[in-house]
Amino acid sequence: MNYYKPGECKVHYMTPEELEADRKRREEERQKHPWRYKGNTPISDYKSYLSEQKFRNATGKKRK
């Protein structure tokens, strides 16, 4: 079954203010979750993040 209606596709181009707000939001996300944006495969990043969290929960300290 096709649920799409015929007609024009609406496209929204971001204004400069929206682009700047989006850039700031993405930068905050990178700082909050740096392991997601390292460039390695997500699985290995997630494993390293989990091992870091286990270490932190067990010792209460951050690895150096």
Side-chain angles (χ1 to χ4, degrees), residues 5-13:
K5 295 178 182 177
E8 284 191 33
C9 176
K10 295 179 182 177
V11 177
H12 173 73
Y13 291 104

Side-chain angles (χ1 to χ4, degrees), residues 26-40 45-46 48-49 53 56 62:
R26 281 189 277 122
E27 187 60 37
E28 288 171 4
E29 281 289 317
R30 273 197 196 91
Q31 290 176 356
K32 193 187 292 184
H33 307 288
W35 53 273
R36 290 183 182 168
Y37 299 96
K38 271 197 250 176
N40 297 341
D45 281 348
Y46 189 64
S48 65
Y49 172 76
Q53 290 302 315
R56 196 177 284 183
K62 196 175 185 182

